[in-house]
Amino acid sequence: MAAGSISGTEFANQANIFFTLSVKYNDTWDLKSSPHNRNEVYLTKRCNIEVAENKQVSTNQKQSSSQTANQSIAEEEDVDVEESDAACLTTTPPPSSSVCQFEYHIVYSASYGVPVLYFNAYTQDGRLLSLDSVWNSVPQHYQDRFQHERWTTLTQQEHPILGRPFFQLHPCHTADLMSKLIPESCSGNYLLSWLSAVGPVVGLKVPLSYVTS
């Protein structure tokens, strides 16, 4: 295997261990098998996240003071998230926000030799969030970090197992990232290390209890 990647068998083994920890700590991850191949497994999780709504400022509502205008722009661009699930990112919700359901899937990519994080986000009435809305839910420091490659970092692709559209954190840089995080001779904590690194980008983090185990 190339540096920073794992085999499908290693992924399946680590997914089973991860699911066992989820049960132990009363987390909400589930382990599922592909309907096409029972040996192909993937992890799923759902949690509710409070997402700030974008504020649109009309042209006839210009502020007379530049200080007020700057404050309005800052409020328009500021998007925080808070969630009800302990294993998801928690921040202070803004005054104007709505609760959305995020559905996360961890699927192995044979092409890249790495796990891939797929997800969808829905409003309370079942509407799928747009790519722009999903990007706005990303914590601001990650938006700043990926601003020049935002649409190659976060894309919409067909789920490789379910065959329907999902958002995806693109795996093209995953092997390089993991080769720096984990020595090539040690892959025992690969899945936990990977999810700890990429999950917070889309509001998901691994509880410390998983790592200490």
Side-chain angles (χ1 to χ4, degrees), residues 174-189:
T174 300
D176 182 55
L177 169 68
M178 297 308 296
S179 66
K180 298 174 182 177
L181 291 178
I182 299 179
E184 188 174 356
S185 60
C186 177
S187 62
N189 62 346

Side-chain angles (χ1 to χ4, degrees), residues 43-162:
L43 291 157
T44 69
K45 176 184 179 68
R46 291 186 179 185
C47 57
N48 294 326
I49 300 179
E50 195 161 4
V51 179
E53 297 176 349
N54 291 332
K55 297 179 181 180
Q56 301 297 330
V57 180
S58 64
T59 56
N60 61 355
Q61 293 178 325
K62 295 181 180 179
Q63 305 295 327
S64 57
S65 150
S66 60
Q67 180 179 1
T68 306
N70 290 336
Q71 180 180 358
S72 177
I73 294 172
E75 290 176 352
E76 179 183 358
E77 294 178 346
D78 183 31
V79 180
D80 294 324
V81 295
E82 178 181 2
E83 56 166 349
S84 58
D85 195 296
C88 296
L89 189 65
T90 302
T91 58
T92 302
S96 179
S97 59
S98 60
V99 175
C100 296
Q101 184 178 79
F102 278 67
E103 177 184 0
Y104 299 100
H105 288 205
I106 299 175
V107 183
Y108 180 72
S109 169
S111 300
Y112 288 91
V114 297
V116 182
L117 184 58
Y118 290 85
F119 68 98
N120 267 331
Y122 303 90
T123 61
Q124 290 180 301
D125 59 3
R127 291 181 292 109
L128 183 67
L129 292 190
S130 67
L131 185 55
D132 281 322
S133 296
V134 168
W135 177 258
N136 286 333
S137 73
V138 172
Q140 187 61 50
H141 61 284
Y142 287 113
Q143 290 192 38
D144 295 339
R145 179 179 174 183
F146 298 118
Q147 61 179 325
H148 298 302
E149 52 184 12
R150 56 190 296 181
W151 305 130
T152 56
T153 299
L154 184 60
T155 62
Q156 191 171 38
Q157 302 287 336
E158 182 179 284
H159 193 291
I161 295 176
L162 303 181

